[in-house]
Amino acid sequence: MATTTETTAAPAAPARRRAERGPAIGLKRFVFHLLLTIAAMVMIYPLLWMLSASFKPIDEIFADPGLLPSTWVWSNYSEGWNALPHPFEKYIWNSMVIVAGSIVGNLVSCSMAAYAFARLRFPLRGMLFAVMLGTIMLPIHVVIIPQYILFNNLGWVDTFWPLIVPKLLATDAFFVFLMVQFIRGLPRELDEAASIDGCGYWGTYLRIIMPLCMPALATTAIFTFIWTWNDFYSQLIYLRDVDLQTVPLALRLFMDSTGTTNWGALFAMSIVALGPIFGFFLAGQRYLVRGIATTGIK
């Protein structure tokens, strides 16, 4: 009986200690989540302020830091949409064309380069991979002048080609590296089974590797969309014709050096410009998390 009593009492001690620590753990979690909420509100305040400013009169935007406008000016959106030489939809369409070409180019070229580095054996593979990774450290300002000279000699300045064609040549080393890490995590037995079934390199790439790389492909698409949509520097250099300008350049057109900037319309169109980014990110968020978590990039 003594042995039975001791055996019954033994598991009760850890349970009692857990019950005693319960309130302390609950308090720590509450404080932790409270701090996270406060930090999130601090970080999201500029976005909320811009949204609020898009509905304020111009003389109230910088005079009142509050988030609730005293007078709701809905006309900021209609004025901003038609304030530039073209309706704002024209600039959205131009950005969409460049973004679509960039996404397709990166998905095709970067996945092919990654498959070659991860699965194929060819001379100087390690050195070429190291050189490719080294290009990540090159700032765009180093290569923009020779690139501009090249595209100018080709007659591509004031066209979309300088912003799309490089994506077809796997120039974004970050995405190549991301896909290489993902493909290396796939079992090689899949390649061997495909080879036994008669698949060559192209068949293995299209039928085996690509369907399994959906998280990495989605991550590439999301980052390409965000970076290309927000790109101001490259588009400013290559697109001088107002008919070809994109959303970042159109937002810059609202800024007037004489000091008569229509801030309400500017903030309204800035909110419109954020819409596609939020939509594309939310649509692919699940794949984005999986893609980053399974490529070794922590």
Side-chain angles (χ1 to χ4, degrees):
M1 291 297 294
T3 303
T4 304
T5 303
E6 292 175 359
T7 304
T8 305
R16 185 168 56 251
R17 287 195 295 269
R18 286 195 298 269
E20 293 173 353
R21 291 197 305 267
I25 295 176
L27 179 61
K28 289 182 179 179
R29 289 180 177 176
F30 173 77
V31 173
F32 177 72
H33 285 90
L34 179 62
L35 293 177
L36 284 180
T37 302
I38 295 174
M41 293 302 297
V42 171
M43 295 178 65
I44 203 175
Y45 175 80
L47 179 61
L48 296 178
W49 182 88
M50 185 172 66
L51 177 62
S52 172
S54 67
F55 293 103
K56 290 181 178 180
I58 297 178
D59 56 354
E60 186 183 333
I61 291 178
F62 298 106
D64 183 11
L67 295 179
L68 292 178
S70 60
T71 303
W72 292 80
V73 182
W74 301 91
S75 60
N76 284 337
Y77 283 84
S78 60
E79 292 178 3
W81 191 269
N82 299 293
L84 302 178
H86 297 284
F88 205 75
E89 62 186 28
K90 172 69 174 178
Y91 307 104
I92 293 177
W93 171 253
N94 291 340
S95 289
M96 285 294 184
V97 171
I98 297 175
V99 165
S102 299
I103 290 177
V104 172
N106 273 342
L107 292 181
V108 174
S109 63
C110 293
S111 63
M112 293 172 61
Y115 174 69
F117 281 124
R119 285 294 198 256
L120 306 185
R121 296 290 184 268
F122 53 89
L124 303 178
R125 186 185 65 161
M127 186 189 73
L128 293 176
F129 187 70
V131 171
M132 181 208 68
L133 292 180
T135 61
I136 299 179
M137 296 181 287
L138 285 176
I140 188 175
H141 311 83
V142 175
V143 297
I144 195 65
I145 295 178
Q147 282 183 353
Y148 182 87
I149 295 174
L150 172 64
F151 293 135
N152 187 51
N153 291 335
L154 292 174
W156 286 1
V157 175
D158 251 348
T159 68
F160 293 151
W161 296 120
L163 303 171
I164 297 177
V165 171
K167 308 298 182 182
L168 298 172
L169 304 176
T171 55
D172 286 332
F174 171 79
F175 298 127
V176 177
F177 173 71
L178 184 144
M179 292 188 188
V180 166
Q181 294 298 98
F182 191 92
I183 295 174
R184 283 177 177 173
L186 300 178
R188 285 189 173 270
E189 289 77 6
L190 297 174
D191 298 31
E192 297 171 359
S195 178
I196 294 174
D197 290 339
C199 284
Y201 292 133
W202 284 106
T204 304
Y205 165 75
L206 293 174
R207 300 182 181 181
I208 305 298
I209 300 299
M210 284 302 96
L212 295 175
C213 283
M214 285 304 299
L217 294 175
T219 302
T220 299
I222 292 173
F223 278 122
T224 301
F225 184 100
I226 295 175
W227 293 349
T228 306
W229 185 271
N230 291 329
D231 182 22
F232 177 81
Y233 185 68
S234 299
Q235 296 171 12
L236 177 65
I237 291 176
Y238 293 116
L239 302 177
R240 294 173 294 185
D241 189 351
V242 178
D243 294 339
L244 299 176
Q245 290 185 344
T246 55
V247 169
L249 302 182
L251 293 176
R252 179 61 181 84
L253 293 178
F254 282 99
M255 304 292 292
D256 191 346
S257 59
T258 62
T260 57
T261 303
N262 189 344
W263 292 104
L266 171 61
F267 290 135
M269 292 303 99
S270 298
I271 294 296
V272 172
L274 287 176
I277 295 179
F278 279 117
F280 199 83
F281 177 80
L282 292 177
Q285 182 181 13
R286 177 167 57 93
Y287 295 102
L288 176 65
V289 174
R290 288 177 54 193
I292 294 179
T294 55
T295 52
I297 303 177
K298 304 298 183 183

